[in-house]
Amino acid sequence: MSLPPLREVIARHGLSASKALGQNFLFDEQLLDRIAGIPGDLQGRAVLEVGPGPGGLTRALLRAGARVTAIEMDRRCLPALAELGDAFPGQLTVIEGDALKIPPAELFGDEPYDVVANLPYNVGTALFVGWLSGESWPPQWRSLTLMFQLEVAERIVAKEASGAYGRLAVLAQWRSEAKLAMKVHRSAFTPPPKVMSAIVHVTPAAMPEGVSARVLERVTEAAFGQRRKMLRQSLKGVPGAVEALEELGIDPQRRAETLSVGEFVSIARALTR
Ligand code: SAM
């Protein structure tokens, strides 16, 4: 299928990048095809794309055979996306709106879906936390393939005892696998952002038994809220937590960033009981 170059689409529809909407577009079709390949074979699969913009990543997903539902806030992009829908009949549904306000269950019913997105940083992090939270597991999504600032991507995949390790790492790793799939140079975007980017790929893993997600979130929040303090101090506000450390043989003089994800899970399990 021959589609017009993305730069031409943008010029024809007058899509100057809006800073307020965090718009940094990708035009390199080879790079876009590689990103669309990260979740694996998408032929016939349902994909949620958040923030398609002029549709560069969208066309790569459609080329891969996905059935894409795309949520875009900027209505200026809709005519360009409609043209793309015409080129791939029956494969693209575009929804105008704020992805933070649209529950995916309304879009997919019970069908599992993969999420692929190149989003502004703040929106991406808020959606990411939402997709990883909640008591119900496994989630309805099969994988998350998301562009972040490199520094945020490193926080998501960080291991204990590194400076980047914190709440995001525990949230992303306690019942999922999170990998840094690809670094993307700032020059790949138009306009180029100030910092480097990277794509994180997350797939659900087994939920550890006997652990409430809410309790785990409470413990990590308290522990990393005062990350320089010893656990016996930072966990004081969580009833039973300091006693649980002793019961588990975890030295209360340690600091949050030295605890593995498994140790956080053990503490949360002791408190869930
Ligand atoms: N996916 C395109 C690409 O890779 O070239 C555009 C990426 S641009 C970084 C982010 C896109 O997300 C923009 O088109 C912007 O309008 C859209 N966007 C920003 N906030 C949004 C939100 N809350 N809900 C849906 N789309 C949003």
Side-chain angles (χ1 to χ4, degrees):
M1 172 115 17
S2 89
L3 292 164
L6 281 157
R7 286 183 195 279
E8 186 195 308
V9 171
I10 287 186
R12 188 154 40 82
H13 292 282
L15 299 177
S16 54
S18 146
K19 220 178 170 170
L21 285 170
Q23 290 178 336
N24 301 94
F25 301 135
L26 291 169
F27 294 139
D28 178 341
E29 305 245 3
Q30 271 185 0
L31 173 66
L32 289 162
D33 283 335
R34 274 169 57 213
I35 297 173
I38 292 173
D41 184 7
L42 290 178
Q43 186 65 45
R45 298 227 310 234
V47 169
L48 171 62
E49 187 193 357
V50 187
L57 185 53
T58 320
R59 45 164 85 179
L61 294 166
L62 294 168
R63 270 196 294 264
R67 287 178 290 117
V68 180
T69 300
I71 306 176
E72 174 56 61
M73 224 170 141
D74 182 357
R75 55 169 32 194
R76 294 179 309 153
C77 298
L78 301 186
L81 293 168
E83 280 178 14
L84 200 52
D86 292 341
F88 293 87
Q91 265 182 264
L92 176 63
T93 306
V94 179
I95 292 164
E96 183 194 348
D98 180 347
L100 289 166
K101 298 188 182 146
I102 301 175
E106 280 179 17
L107 308 175
F108 295 99
D110 291 336
E111 193 182 7
Y113 57 91
D114 295 87
V115 181
V116 183
N118 169 22
L119 272 170
Y121 158 61
N122 54 342
V123 180
T125 310
L127 286 170
F128 185 65
V129 169
W131 282 318
L132 291 167
S133 302
E135 300 296 340
S136 160
W137 203 262
Q140 203 180 333
W141 49 266
R142 278 205 273 221
S143 70
L144 307 174
T145 302
L146 305 171
M147 182 87 75
F148 287 103
Q149 291 183 9
L150 177 59
E151 181 246 319
V152 177
E154 283 171 342
R155 278 167 43 204
I156 291 169
V157 302
K159 295 293 169 209
E160 71 268 24
S162 68
Y165 183 66
R167 281 175 69 188
L168 262 187
V170 178
L171 182 67
Q173 296 171 36
W174 78 279
R175 52 181 176 176
S176 350
E177 279 201 37
K179 287 193 197 118
L180 206 155
M182 190 192 288
K183 290 189 184 177
V184 184
H185 198 271
R186 47 189 290 279
S187 63
F189 298 87
T190 303
K194 288 202 179 73
V195 294
M196 295 296 190
S197 297
I199 295 177
V200 171
H201 181 63
V202 181
T203 46
M207 169 117 174
E209 275 183 32
V211 181
S212 147
R214 206 168 35 82
V215 171
L216 183 101
E217 279 158 29
R218 175 121 194 255
V219 172
T220 43
E221 187 185 327
F224 287 109
Q226 297 175 288
R227 61 185 292 143
R228 301 269 157 243
K229 297 236 167 98
M230 293 179 199
L231 293 166
R232 67 160 184 247
Q233 179 64 30
S234 58
L235 292 182
K236 239 183 197 163
V238 183
V242 177
E243 294 77 2
L245 294 177
E246 276 167 32
E247 193 187 307
L248 294 163
I250 297 173
D251 183 354
Q253 300 205 35
R254 287 168 64 186
R255 288 177 297 156
E257 63 200 33
T258 73
L259 288 192
S260 67
V261 173
E263 286 175 311
F264 274 109
V265 167
S266 304
I267 298 169
R269 182 179 287 118
L271 295 176
T272 303
R273 261 190 260 127

